[in-house]
Amino acid sequence: MHGRLLRASFTLALALPIGAKVPSCVTDNDLAILAGAHVIYSWPQTVSPPDELVDLTRDGLVGGVILFGENVGNGTADALASLQSDYESSPAAAVFQRYFRTSGPLFITTDQEGGQVRRIKTGGPFLTAKQTGASPDPAAAGTTAGEEAAAALQGDNFNSNLAPVLDIFRQAKDFTDYFQRSYGNTSTIVSAAATAFIKAQQAAGIPATAKHFPGLGSATHQQDTDAGPVTLNLTLEEIRTVDEVPYTSAIAAGLDLVMPSWAVYPALDDVPSGLSVKWITEELRGRLGFTGVTITDALEAGALTPFGDLPTVSVSAAKAGMDMLLASQRNVTQGEVVRSALVAAVRSGDVEWKDFVASTKRILALRSRLYG
Ligand SMILES: *[C@@H]1O[C@H](CO)[C@@H](O)[C@H](O)[C@H]1NC(C)=O
Ligand SMILES: *[C@@H]1O[C@H](CO)[C@@H](O)[C@H](O)[C@H]1NC(C)=O
Ligand SMILES: *[C@@H]1O[C@H](CO)[C@@H](O)[C@H](O)[C@H]1NC(C)=O
Ligand SMILES: *[C@@H]1O[C@H](CO)[C@@H](O)[C@H](O)[C@H]1NC(C)=O
């Protein structure tokens, strides 16, 4: 199954040797651009990106950007249009065309979930996920929320969303319920609302991201992966019959992206889901049949501290099957460290060339469909 996917992806690429090592015809400059496609950058404070990031974008070394509340304001639409045009004039498109016969705009994203968790305050979804799921018809309310998210994002020149949350909360005021980020406490409600959100937003041309796989809904209020390590001692049966159910429904509806959680689930592995071959390659892609793009949660998260420094966890994530790596520390240098780590790992064969190519191809297949 896996081998067949890899071969299928190569029939579309030029006749590159497929193996563990980078073929000698791939120049350092090409590899830097190909690796850059995997990195989502961020920057501090301002609406307009700093010169450092603009320069990297003009060099084609940026795969995408994530904006936070402090980056969004009246000038956002213009700033993002300008960044897209900087990227368009970069050498990236020619490199992607040469290797993959496809290309696409920068991936520009944010967290537009609903209620308090939305970075574009002038646009929807205005209801929280909890209010959406609690409405008389959660699917209809999910559709409205997805349409509102798409409109808000398009209005400011974003072309993707790191929403919806598929976590099924367990206790009032627990980690996911505290800011009302969960649609509900049953798989049925969450599947109905989230799947409708995904369909509506994607029908409007904005890819959706289901998070946080395989589910963070059982985390207590204190269990925050941004702050420190989190272990969720669920049985594999509970994960598969409760937490993963909305993924089955979302994947069947054509879900574009999945963001795994940084919690450790001992039911299957002793490293965080997003660093785990068992969770990403075997469970998500193998068992659940997801063929889209995976994007990590924040690489600076406290949950990753026991698993190595930034270059180490970036490479571990790539080896687990993660396509996009989220350098969300509002720090351009962080993105550069991640990109350099990926280049070095691909050159050394630690990340196998054939896996890197398959992953790059998934990213470009998505990006070829983006607004921009
Ligand atoms: C955006 O513009 C509106 C109306 O022009 C103004 O009221 C608001 O303060 C501005 N917001 C920011 C963040 O500059
Ligand atoms: C979900 O929440 C409702 C209302 O608080 C409660 O009655 C129900 O037992 C909960 N269901 C589960 C599966 O926890
Ligand atoms: C989960 O299990 C681990 C190891 O068995 C244990 O150290 C930890 O305290 C448990 N956590 C919870 C929240 O039960
Ligand atoms: C930015 O990221 C780099 C690389 O991880 C780190 O060395 C540096 O301390 C960070 N700067 C800030 C202001 O956080």
Side-chain angles (χ1 to χ4, degrees):
M1 159 88 176
H2 197 54
R4 202 176 69 222
L5 281 178
L6 291 178
R7 272 195 304 279
S9 73
F10 265 97
T11 57
L12 293 176
L14 285 191
L16 284 171
I18 313 162
K21 289 287 200 162
V22 187
S24 55
C25 58
V26 179
T27 64
D28 285 346
N29 197 51
D30 287 358
L31 185 55
I33 286 174
L34 295 174
H38 295 251
V39 183
I40 308 305
Y41 288 71
S42 61
W43 71 87
Q45 295 301 326
T46 53
V47 168
S48 289
D51 291 347
E52 186 190 4
L53 184 59
V54 172
D55 290 345
L56 288 166
T57 303
R58 288 179 177 154
D59 289 341
L61 298 171
V62 174
V65 291
I66 177 171
L67 279 75
F68 291 91
E70 66 264 32
N71 305 120
V72 178
N74 286 333
T76 295
D78 288 344
L80 294 180
S82 164
L83 200 64
Q84 279 297 11
S85 96
D86 287 329
Y87 190 69
E88 240 177 84
S89 65
S90 84
V95 171
F96 297 141
Q97 285 293 350
R98 187 143 33 86
Y99 286 83
F100 296 100
R101 298 201 188 284
T102 186
S103 171
L106 280 178
F107 181 84
I108 301 185
T109 202
T110 194
D111 299 287
Q112 195 74 0
E113 295 177 10
Q116 300 173 65
V117 189
R118 56 189 229 283
R119 311 305 185 197
I120 306 166
K121 294 294 184 194
T122 51
F126 300 99
L127 297 186
T128 64
K130 189 175 193 174
Q131 291 166 332
T132 303
S135 74
D137 184 345
T143 298
T144 302
E147 288 167 353
E148 288 175 343
L153 292 157
Q154 275 161 348
D156 265 345
N157 289 330
F158 290 82
N159 55 22
S160 59
N161 194 4
L162 300 181
V165 170
L166 268 57
D167 303 335
I168 297 160
F169 84 96
R170 301 300 205 277
Q171 303 289 334
K173 306 276 191 222
D174 65 15
F175 179 73
T176 308
D177 185 53
Y178 194 78
F179 292 108
Q180 301 197 7
R181 297 174 71 196
S182 169
Y183 289 105
N185 65 353
T186 66
S187 313
T188 309
I189 293 176
V190 173
S191 298
T195 304
F197 182 111
I198 291 162
K199 281 187 184 166
Q201 189 194 276
Q202 292 191 171
I206 301 283
T209 307
K211 63 189 186 184
H212 309 79
F213 180 80
L216 258 184
S218 62
T220 63
H221 181 59
Q222 286 76 28
Q223 290 184 298
D224 177 358
T225 54
D226 284 343
V230 170
T231 297
L232 298 174
N233 291 335
L234 303 166
T235 63
L236 193 55
E237 193 199 348
E238 182 169 358
I239 293 171
R240 286 179 173 168
T241 58
V242 178
D243 297 278
E244 282 184 1
V245 171
Y247 288 89
T248 307
S249 156
I251 290 166
L255 172 70
D256 282 319
L257 296 110
V258 170
M259 175 184 284
S261 112
W262 285 143
V264 174
Y265 303 80
L268 213 53
D269 207 350
D270 56 7
V271 296
S273 166
L275 302 184
S276 166
V277 173
K278 288 182 179 162
W279 281 113
I280 304 307
T281 303
E282 294 173 13
E283 187 76 359
L284 178 63
R285 293 202 189 281
R287 186 172 171 275
L288 297 179
F290 179 64
T291 56
V293 171
T294 50
I295 180 167
T296 70
D297 204 338
L299 284 166
E300 67 278 10
L304 296 183
T305 311
F307 301 95
D309 60 8
L310 179 63
T312 304
V313 296
S314 302
V315 171
S316 299
K319 288 169 76 169
M322 296 306 304
D323 300 318
M324 291 181 173
L325 306 168
L326 190 65
S328 54
Q329 203 183 15
R330 288 79 148 171
N331 173 351
V332 177
T333 309
Q334 184 201 22
E336 284 297 277
V337 170
V338 172
R339 186 172 54 79
S340 301
L342 187 56
V343 165
V346 173
R347 274 279 178 227
S348 75
D350 191 15
V351 169
E352 293 198 7
W353 170 246
K354 65 176 169 44
D355 294 337
F356 175 74
V357 166
S359 176
T360 310
K361 180 151 192 313
R362 284 192 292 268
I363 291 170
L364 292 175
L366 173 68
R367 281 180 41 190
S368 68
R369 298 191 274 115
L370 295 176
Y371 282 103

